[in-house]
Amino acid sequence: MVAPRRVPLRLAAAAAVIALIGASTACTSEPTSPPPGPDESVELAPVELAPVELAPVELAWRELTLPQPPEGTRIVLAGAAVCDGHWYLVGGHDLIGEAPDEEWLGTDDTMDPAAWTSRDGENWTALPVAAHSYYGVRSLLWEAACRNGTLVALGGKVGGAHGNPRMASYYPTQAADGTEALTEISASFELYGGPNATNVGRMTAGPPGYLIVGNRATGAAVWLSPTGETFEIVEGAPVLADSPERATWAADAAFHDGEWVVVGSVVVTGRADRDPAAWHSPDGRTWTDMTIEGTPDYDELSVVASVAGSLTAVGIDGPTFRAWRLEPDGWVARGRFGSTRIEPREGRLTAASPVGLAGAGDHLVAVVKAGWTYELWTSADAGTSWRPVTPPRDMPADGGQRAAIVGVPGAGEDPDRVLLVIDDGRTAHAYVAPVTGPD
């Protein structure tokens, strides 16, 4: 349920004070008028407030060294996961010299799926990947989640008569000789595609297993698996799916306080404006709306992460990005940051959207696509205030580039860290950095 939109009284009062200060301290070369009498009213001109420039946070980024790819190819990185002392990166190998893919899953036949693992973040080995279908051997692995040290990945490739993504999940299996490979799991075409397909989105893991969020012609949907080996779809679920009153969209999920929590947005019938939305379920099948504070602008929740004992989500709120915090009474709007306003480039249009959110200790680090570049932002107070983070290298976002981020819990003498993946369409890089708060 979306809470009524309102301007908090404290913000209205603060705006009035700022307007009065601006009017009383403005410099002018004209003669000043005498102060108004007790019965006279004062008309204040609107005050344009300049944006506050925040000094960026400098993290101690260190680049990770991955095994050399097969001759004539380059590493492509698209996703990461960390759990129980296991680090994973997923992506693929692409032929060197080919033009970067323009589509998010690739459109040519030069890609093959790949994955890498490490126990300490220092020494990495390539994981054998066993893809067997026509689309599987040409796929990019773009999403990863793990629990109890077990990696599950999602991969796909655009194909078929309608150019829809042909998706598959990947699960570690043992061969007869005892070797383990991340293996493509055969599934019916309609599990992830078919006539009701819209998109297959993010995957997360929790004590009950694995959950994938996505959307169908019937609205928001999820895929469930207790082990990650095979998934079943839950579509058309009451409350989570579309109804005559509204259309729903699922963007990300997390496991919190014994329940799955899905975040996204709704569009009320008869309106074009999106409102933020969230749902919770003890089993991934029966869903209930969560109360969430809306704003007057187009807004939605895009990514969610656990930090400081609860969940924080980041999404779009009109001209800026914004965080929402899960409190006992529902989701509460927190701090704004950055800009979602984008200028066209060479006649081309693009979008602004959050693409990743990592919780590390008491800190959050968000990756947002701010038009033609990816930006990093951090918060040390669960999303109330934000500062930009200097990235380890340029992060373009004007075509086939990708970025992803996950948190790495501290252990022993190791601090809480974040693992960042950057692929600029020609080279791929992975970095790790301890998380530090604002000065």
Side-chain angles (χ1 to χ4, degrees):
M1 178 177 66
V2 178
R5 291 172 167 176
R6 62 190 183 275
V7 177
L9 182 61
R10 64 181 183 276
L11 296 184
V17 171
I18 292 171
L20 287 170
I21 293 173
S24 64
T25 59
C27 295
T28 176
S29 58
E30 298 296 326
T32 57
S33 301
D39 298 326
E40 295 182 72
S41 61
V42 179
E43 184 175 344
L44 297 177
V47 177
E48 183 75 20
L49 297 179
V52 177
E53 293 292 335
L54 299 174
V57 174
E58 303 286 343
L59 298 183
W61 296 108
R62 178 173 55 82
E63 185 165 9
L64 306 179
T65 301
L66 300 181
Q68 288 296 313
E71 186 176 356
T73 70
R74 79 166 184 94
I75 288 175
V76 179
L77 293 178
V82 175
C83 68
D84 305 300
H86 293 75
W87 301 42
Y88 297 104
L89 297 171
V90 298
H93 294 128
D94 202 4
L95 290 180
I96 294 174
E98 298 293 331
D101 293 326
E102 291 295 325
E103 300 294 335
W104 65 285
L105 286 179
T107 57
D108 55 28
D109 291 337
T110 66
M111 187 78 68
D112 64 85
W116 301 264
T117 186
S118 173
R119 292 301 302 268
D120 56 9
E122 298 287 340
N123 303 292
W124 290 83
T125 58
L127 280 173
V129 177
H132 53 78
S133 71
Y134 175 86
Y135 293 104
V137 298
R138 296 164 171 82
S139 288
L140 173 74
L141 302 184
W142 53 273
E143 186 72 9
C146 66
R147 59 187 287 270
N148 300 329
T150 299
L151 169 69
V152 177
L154 284 176
K157 181 192 182 302
V158 171
H162 300 95
N164 294 322
R166 302 302 176 99
M167 308 295 304
S169 63
Y170 290 74
Y171 180 84
T173 62
Q174 271 196 347
D177 62 1
T179 60
E180 189 172 78
L182 192 61
T183 303
E184 179 185 1
I185 303 301
S186 298
S188 67
F189 171 63
E190 292 192 1
L191 178 63
Y192 301 109
N196 288 333
T198 299
N199 82 312
V200 179
R202 298 179 179 276
M203 178 169 56
T204 190
Y210 296 80
L211 180 142
I212 304 168
V213 299
N215 299 279
R216 307 287 281 180
T218 53
V222 298
W223 290 257
L224 301 173
S225 175
T227 63
E229 186 171 2
T230 58
F231 284 83
E232 63 172 313
I233 188 171
V234 179
E235 61 179 324
V239 181
L240 182 65
D242 290 351
S243 70
E245 294 76 32
R246 65 182 190 175
T248 61
W249 182 268
D252 199 5
F255 190 83
H256 173 70
D257 199 20
E259 294 186 308
W260 294 112
V261 176
V262 168
V263 301
S265 60
V266 297
V267 177
V268 177
T269 302
R271 289 176 45 199
D273 179 34
R274 280 196 176 191
D275 292 320
W279 305 265
H280 64 105
S281 171
D283 57 8
R285 302 176 187 278
T286 304
W287 294 89
T288 304
D289 277 320
M290 304 180 78
T291 300
I292 185 164
E293 184 177 4
T295 76
D297 290 310
Y298 175 110
D299 41 9
E300 62 186 8
L301 306 185
S302 302
V303 290
V304 64
S306 176
V307 67
S310 189
L311 299 179
T312 297
V314 169
I316 292 174
D317 182 11
T320 70
F321 302 99
R322 182 190 278 279
W324 279 261
R325 178 71 171 172
L326 180 58
E327 303 288 358
D329 294 332
W331 292 86
V332 178
R334 288 267 181 116
R336 289 178 177 264
F337 63 96
S339 174
T340 60
R341 292 173 174 165
I342 304 162
E343 294 295 328
R345 177 182 291 180
E346 298 175 352
R348 295 182 296 144
L349 298 176
T350 188
S353 63
V355 299
L357 183 65
D362 291 332
H363 293 77
L364 291 166
V365 180
V367 181
V368 298
K369 183 180 185 295
W372 305 104
T373 186
Y374 292 109
E375 295 178 351
L376 299 175
W377 291 79
T378 187
S379 173
D381 51 18
T384 299
S385 60
W386 294 84
R387 283 179 60 181
V389 176
T390 301
R393 63 184 297 113
D394 289 341
M395 299 173 63
D398 61 357
Q401 295 85 3
R402 301 173 181 88
I405 195 166
V406 295
V408 183
E413 296 181 357
D414 293 330
D416 297 308
R417 291 168 286 179
V418 288
L419 172 60
L420 173 67
V421 166
I422 303 171
D423 194 303
D424 63 12
R426 296 187 181 277
T427 60
H429 306 269
Y431 298 87
V432 67
V435 179
T436 58
D439 297 334

